[in-house]
Amino acid sequence: MASGGISAHILARDDGIREWRKLMGPTKVFQTVHSEPGSIRGQFGLTDTRNSTHGSDSDESARKEMQFFFPEFNVDEWYKKKEPYFRNGNVYFCEETGIHVEEIPSANILKQKLS
């Protein structure tokens, strides 16, 4: 899946797999360069095996890949406890930790969490 450095992410949105795959463009780079040149693969893909990006093709493979890259992440627990905050727009991006949080932490709370 990787021949060099990677940046792995978990994307959370309605129909996220389909939307991400649309942004990536088709797997076959030669085809993509002509059919969807503005896609990620159309702009940065080199060959069919070096197509610059990867995305899960199903919920099942997404779960397997999340477990591989983020073994401490529990999908079911996230849906149960965290997803409602995202769904209602009650999350904020914390620049210091680089993660989304349910509320804007005060400086003291943030220092305690980072310690």
Side-chain angles (χ1 to χ4, degrees), residues 2 5 19 28 31 33 35-36 44 51 57 60 71-72 91 94 101:
E19 291 295 325
K28 305 289 186 190
Q31 171 192 351
V33 168
S35 66
E36 296 183 42
F44 304 107
N51 61 24
D57 59 2
E60 182 181 347
E72 73 287 351
V91 294
C94 177
V101 294

Side-chain angles (χ1 to χ4, degrees), residues 2-3 13 15 24 27 31 33 53 58 71 73 82 84-85 94:
S3 61
R13 69 162 287 161
D15 212 4
M24 289 189 301
T27 305
Q31 171 192 351
V33 168
T53 188
S58 67
F73 182 75
K82 305 286 185 176
Y85 290 101
C94 177

Side-chain angles (χ1 to χ4, degrees), residues 21-52:
R21 294 185 72 77
K22 188 165 71 173
L23 286 171
M24 289 189 301
T27 305
K28 305 289 186 190
V29 171
F30 182 75
Q31 171 192 351
T32 304
V33 168
H34 299 287
S35 66
E36 296 183 42
S39 68
I40 296 169
R41 289 176 174 152
Q43 294 179 61
F44 304 107
L46 301 175
T47 66
D48 291 349
T49 56
R50 298 179 69 201
N51 61 24
S52 76

Side-chain angles (χ1 to χ4, degrees), residues 67-82:
Q67 184 62 42
F68 177 81
F69 287 107
F70 307 97
E72 73 287 351
F73 182 75
N74 182 312
V75 176
D76 297 322
E77 191 73 15
W78 184 85
Y79 272 109
K80 183 176 165 185
K81 293 185 176 179
K82 305 286 185 176

Side-chain angles (χ1 to χ4, degrees), residues 17 55-66:
I17 291 173
S56 304
D57 59 2
S58 67
D59 288 344
E60 182 181 347
S61 64
R63 284 178 175 265
K64 288 178 184 175
E65 292 168 3
M66 282 186 272

Side-chain angles (χ1 to χ4, degrees), residues 10-13 73 78 81-93 99-102:
I10 298 173
L11 305 177
R13 69 162 287 161
F73 182 75
W78 184 85
K81 293 185 176 179
K82 305 286 185 176
E83 192 269 346
Y85 290 101
F86 283 79
R87 173 89 40 212
N88 295 321
N90 297 324
V91 294
Y92 307 92
F93 184 72
I99 60 172
H100 287 87
V101 294
E102 292 85 23

